Amino acid sequence: MQSFTDLTGLDDPAERDDTGDGDGSDDRRASAGDSLLVVAGAAAAIAGTGGALALADIASPLRAPFTLFFLIVAPACAVAAALPGLDPLSRAVVAAGAAVALDLLIAQVMLALHAWTVRGGVAAVATVSLLVFLLAHARRHRGRAARSRAS
């Protein structure tokens, strides 16, 4: 059987050899974590910019792609926060599917009520996403409080 070496530096810490040979694996692991934070920050900035461009009705060539990014990322992050028990890949798939479903549900309700506007749709998605995120945070906080009282 052939074995493959993990070239990313993100191997399992339990399998790592702690001989201190100075191979720089700790530096690679730290830089991978830092780059993940940079990517998450950039995604949040792009999504926030998209929401702001749509709500302020600013004409820009970046408005459509950034707003679309906001409409997918905001509900996906809110749903992902509500699913702490899933592994990361499952959480991402479920969150992306739920984001699309939530966007379609909001659009369908607004169309049925003859209240559809782009700004209203973005505001509704932002509001529902914020509510889902706050409910997930409150549920997590309530669970910690109940465990601390039980101990």
Side-chain angles (χ1 to χ4, degrees):
M1 193 171 227
Q2 189 177 23
S3 65
F4 294 97
T5 304
D6 183 19
L7 299 177
T8 62
L10 299 175
D11 55 346
D12 188 14
E15 296 176 359
R16 194 180 56 169
D17 183 18
D18 289 326
T19 58
D21 56 356
D23 65 348
S25 63
D26 290 337
D27 295 338
R28 283 184 296 197
R29 188 167 287 113
S31 66
D34 290 345
S35 64
L36 183 62
L37 289 174
V38 169
V39 169
I46 290 170
T49 303
L53 287 173
L55 290 174
D57 201 23
I58 296 173
S60 168
L62 298 175
R63 179 180 170 185
F66 282 13
T67 302
L68 180 63
F69 189 74
F70 171 79
L71 290 173
I72 297 298
V73 169
C77 289
V79 170
L83 301 171
L86 292 177
D87 62 298
L89 181 61
S90 299
R91 185 185 303 176
V93 170
V94 170
V100 171
L102 188 64
D103 289 341
L104 291 174
L105 180 67
I106 289 171
Q108 185 67 33
V109 167
M110 290 182 76
L111 285 170
L113 296 175
H114 301 289
W116 172 252
T117 63
V118 173
R119 293 171 70 186
V122 169
V125 168
T127 303
V128 170
S129 299
L130 182 64
L131 288 175
V132 169
F133 181 75
L134 290 176
L135 288 173
H137 181 69
R139 184 183 68 178
R140 189 177 320 133
H141 182 67
R142 185 177 24 196
R144 287 181 189 163
R147 280 190 301 250
S148 67
R149 277 184 256 141
S151 358

